[in-house]
Amino acid sequence: MDNNRWWRGAVIYQIYPRSFLDTDGDGVGDLPGILDRLDYVASLGVDAIWISPFFKSPMADFGYDIADYRAVDPLFGTLEDFDRVLAKAHGLGLRVMIDQVLSHTSIEHDWFTESRASRDNPKHDWYVWADAQPDGTPPNNWLSIFGGVAWRWEPRRGQYFLHNFLASQPDLNFHNPAVQAATLDNVKFWLDRGVDGLRLDAINSCFHDTKLRDNPPKPVELRFGRGFSADNPYAFQYHWYNNTQPENLRFLEDLRALLDRYPGATSLGEISSEDSLATMAEYVGEQRLHMGYSFELLTDDRSAAYIRTTVETLEAKMPHGWPCWAISNHDVVRAVSRWGNGTDDAVLAKQLVALVSSLRGSVCLYQGEELGLTEAEIGFDDLQDPYGIAFWPNFKGRDGCRTPMPWTDGPNGGFSDEKPWLPVSDAHRAISVKAQDADADSVLNGARAFLKWRKQQPALLHGSIAFLDAPEPILCFVRRDAAQSMLVAFNLSDAQVEWTLPEHGAASPIEAPGTTAGAIRDGRLVLPARGVVFATF
Ligand code: NOJ
């Protein structure tokens, strides 16, 4: 395999730095903490890390509001700390991907300070400014995903500015070529430093409709979310005009041309549009992004039919492009809680690691997923996420999936000597890294064994995918490449199921460590609760 294509079939471990390890006793994780635990990360058998934002920021959205793209926030350390993380990761054979939040900045970015000051300063059109309607209301009906209208009044200019996210995250005006050039220059800064790839935040939100047309209303029955709940008014409209504009494609091509100057550098776009799978197919390709991921498997629907339809729909639209799958991240309820029922969480957690890393594509594994962490219960008084505070109590925000890593069963789970920014629950301390390290049968050791085994299976790394017509709750498909043809089956329920394979000539199980193994008897698939079968086929 061409070394520059390392990202195809790779497992990318997502580190949320605030919650990984605190080394300076301020209750917030930091880059030296990541440095300290890179050996642990390497022990998982993953290929790369993606570090969520660690740049200078007032932290209104915990770093997804950047005030200086080239500086490390003192909360996380220094640029030298980052260089040390990069060097050590490379020494361990891990690639390093960083989060680039290009579509918006923090309200504290110098660009915005200048832009907001007057209507005629040199950066006056670096953000999306618009006059009020005659009655003083905002220019159109666009809404912020985090609550309320997407426009905030700026008295200095007597105009509104656009914010698709928080009011402290103004949207840049990408229609301005100077904004694109400055953005690419910031990206280049990190590529020159040696990073191996970019995770591109909300990448389809860079451009807006210059005519500022109203988004049309959406019927009630279609208001299901991709990372937002159906009772969020954001779900009440089709987001045709505030994001995913055709001009975005040209910008992606310029970004790709820059990346192509750095052999092996990759990109992974976060895509959430009215038809995220179609947008992924448009955005991913030889001249655009290397990979994309969407919220399709980050939702509540976990049926075999849903997973199959999602993958097949994407395959049909994007037969050659490279997907990346995630079932957990820092934005959604942890998969074990979202897809489980509170019983046998460890068995489910092992199955989910195998499931997400058996689909065609690369994988994002979110810190704690390898431990089978459940969603933490956070009381209103401990809540940090402004999104959760705005929609409480119907939607509790994202704090429950962002609590610190439990390294030990000691105070604060060994994450910090001081009170952590979010509490570490007793349930998490009970399944700490230390405890699981010592248990051969733990989710952690299961994930390690599975990922190590997966590396030896060419069909799982690079093969095609084709589904068999298995009945619910069985998800069954064949992964095939020139060297190997492999049947993969998952029982997504808590009860044993059996099913006669339609073609079973040569199906013979291969032992996949770290899973609850099923069997094939006389051409009949026998899957215990949450069981898994891998077989030559
Ligand atoms: C997507 C990120 O994953 C999320 O955490 C963030 O709040 C928004 N983009 C805005 O940057």
Side-chain angles (χ1 to χ4, degrees):
M1 160 79 24
D2 176 353
N3 209 26
N4 289 339
R5 282 152 74 97
W6 64 268
W7 46 272
R8 289 171 83 97
V11 179
I12 303 163
Y13 184 77
Q14 182 193 353
I15 296 182
Y16 193 69
R18 290 185 75 85
S19 298
F20 201 57
L21 180 71
D22 172 25
T23 61
D24 60 0
D26 60 3
V28 174
D30 41 48
L31 290 171
I34 297 176
L35 186 71
D36 194 73
R37 296 297 147 95
L38 278 177
D39 293 300
Y40 166 76
V41 177
S43 82
L44 301 174
V46 301
D47 303 281
I49 54 172
W50 143 31
I51 314 177
S52 278
F54 49 84
F55 316 102
K56 185 155 180 272
S57 162
M59 305 289 163
D61 191 21
F62 308 105
Y64 283 93
D65 49 324
I66 298 178
D68 183 344
Y69 285 91
R70 301 184 188 203
V72 170
D73 195 278
L75 194 62
F76 295 125
T78 62
L79 213 43
E80 290 68 40
D81 289 328
F82 176 74
D83 289 340
R84 279 189 273 274
V85 168
L86 194 63
K88 180 159 181 194
H90 285 166
L92 289 165
L94 294 168
R95 314 271 179 160
V96 177
M97 298 176 67
I98 59 167
D99 221 312
Q100 292 286 275
V101 188
L102 308 182
S103 85
H104 49 272
T105 70
S106 157
I107 204 160
E108 292 187 12
H109 197 292
D110 287 347
W111 295 345
F112 190 73
T113 309
E114 194 174 339
S115 191
R116 80 189 314 184
S118 67
R119 293 192 188 202
D120 57 5
N121 68 76
K123 296 213 167 41
H124 70 97
D125 56 352
W126 277 46
Y127 291 82
V128 185
W129 295 102
D131 292 335
Q133 301 208 46
D135 62 0
T137 55
N140 62 22
N141 72 351
W142 296 354
L143 294 170
S144 152
I145 189 167
F146 292 155
V149 298
W151 297 95
R152 176 57 67 99
W153 182 251
E154 171 50 68
R156 297 168 185 84
R157 294 178 56 130
Q159 278 186 312
Y160 283 99
F161 68 83
L162 175 69
H163 60 91
N164 278 304
F165 297 94
L166 294 174
S168 52
Q169 292 170 297
D171 272 276
L172 281 161
N173 175 21
F174 268 77
H175 293 284
N176 182 343
V179 168
Q180 296 184 33
T183 296
L184 292 179
D185 221 36
N186 283 334
V187 169
K188 184 172 179 301
F189 172 84
W190 292 100
L191 291 169
D192 286 340
R193 257 195 137 72
V195 305
D196 305 288
L198 317 172
R199 179 266 184 184
L200 297 159
D201 188 74
I203 192 61
N204 58 307
S205 291
C206 291
F207 290 80
H208 65 285
D209 172 44
T210 48
K211 295 198 186 101
L212 301 184
R213 280 172 281 192
D214 275 344
N215 281 329
K218 193 182 248 186
V220 178
E221 63 278 11
L222 296 180
R223 293 178 190 169
F224 40 83
R226 307 164 306 264
F228 48 88
S229 52
D231 67 347
N232 181 342
Y234 191 82
F236 295 14
Q237 11 181 279
Y238 287 103
H239 293 275
W240 288 354
Y241 298 119
N242 60 311
N243 61 40
T244 326
Q245 298 304 295
E247 295 89 341
N248 220 325
L249 297 173
R250 178 62 210 277
F251 173 68
L252 295 181
E253 286 161 11
D254 290 348
L255 177 59
R256 178 59 179 259
L258 172 65
L259 283 160
D260 282 348
R261 286 159 51 191
Y262 298 81
T266 195
S267 56
L268 166 63
E270 181 205 32
I271 292 158
S272 175
S273 70
E274 285 304 332
D275 187 347
S276 300
L277 299 178
T279 308
M280 265 172 83
E282 251 191 313
Y283 279 28
V284 174
E286 289 301 318
Q287 261 127 50
R288 296 177 184 165
L289 301 181
H290 299 76
M291 298 176 276
Y293 82 85
S294 73
F295 278 78
E296 259 56 25
L297 297 188
L298 293 163
T299 57
D300 292 343
D301 204 335
R302 86 301 300 263
S303 65
Y306 176 75
I307 296 171
R308 174 179 176 177
T309 305
T310 300
V311 175
E312 282 187 331
T313 305
L314 184 64
E315 287 294 306
K317 291 181 194 292
M318 193 176 84
H320 305 297
W322 200 256
C324 184
W325 296 105
I327 56 171
S328 257
N329 70 17
H330 66 296
D331 286 331
V332 299
V333 171
R334 283 197 178 268
V336 167
S337 302
R338 224 175 61 241
W339 285 7
N341 55 15
T343 57
D344 287 333
D345 285 343
V347 176
L348 171 61
K350 286 185 194 172
Q351 186 190 49
L352 293 183
V353 170
L355 199 166
V356 71
S357 49
S358 295
L359 301 174
R360 186 181 83 82
S362 302
V363 186
C364 281
L365 204 67
Y366 177 47
Q367 70 182 42
E369 208 171 341
E370 78 280 18
L371 302 175
L373 292 190
T374 50
E375 182 79 354
E377 273 299 319
I378 310 284
F380 185 76
D381 290 343
D382 283 325
L383 228 55
Q384 303 286 333
D385 184 9
Y387 189 14
I389 293 168
F391 286 96
W392 184 274
N394 293 10
F395 169 71
K396 297 177 180 168
R398 302 164 294 178
D399 294 321
C401 65
R402 295 177 174 180
T403 56
M405 275 288 280
W407 295 102
T408 70
D409 63 357
N412 306 323
F415 161 75
S416 175
D417 293 338
E418 295 301 323
K419 186 172 183 256
W421 74 289
L422 283 171
V424 183
S425 71
D426 291 345
H428 283 192
R429 289 192 304 116
I431 52 172
S432 69
V433 171
K434 187 166 176 223
Q436 295 203 37
D437 246 338
D439 172 3
D441 213 27
S442 65
V443 179
L444 173 60
N445 282 322
R448 283 175 172 144
F450 183 82
L451 294 180
K452 188 169 167 210
W453 172 82
R454 175 183 179 272
K455 279 206 159 110
Q456 310 306 319
Q457 314 304 322
L460 291 185
L461 296 176
H462 309 121
S464 61
I465 189 165
F467 287 83
L468 300 190
D469 289 327
E472 210 65 58
I474 300 172
L475 181 72
C476 187
F477 49 86
V478 177
R479 300 289 314 273
R480 191 169 277 146
D481 88 333
Q484 191 183 33
S485 177
M486 188 185 267
L487 178 95
V488 185
F490 295 94
N491 171 6
L492 302 182
S493 81
D494 291 319
Q496 169 155 322
V497 289
E498 296 190 13
W499 178 55
T500 302
L501 287 166
E503 326 156 39
H504 56 84
S508 100
I510 312 168
E511 200 192 324
T515 60
T516 303
I520 299 176
R521 290 193 200 111
D522 301 327
R524 212 165 155 70
L525 202 55
V526 182
L527 289 162
R530 297 283 169 195
V532 179
V533 159
F534 290 88
T536 53
F537 197 64

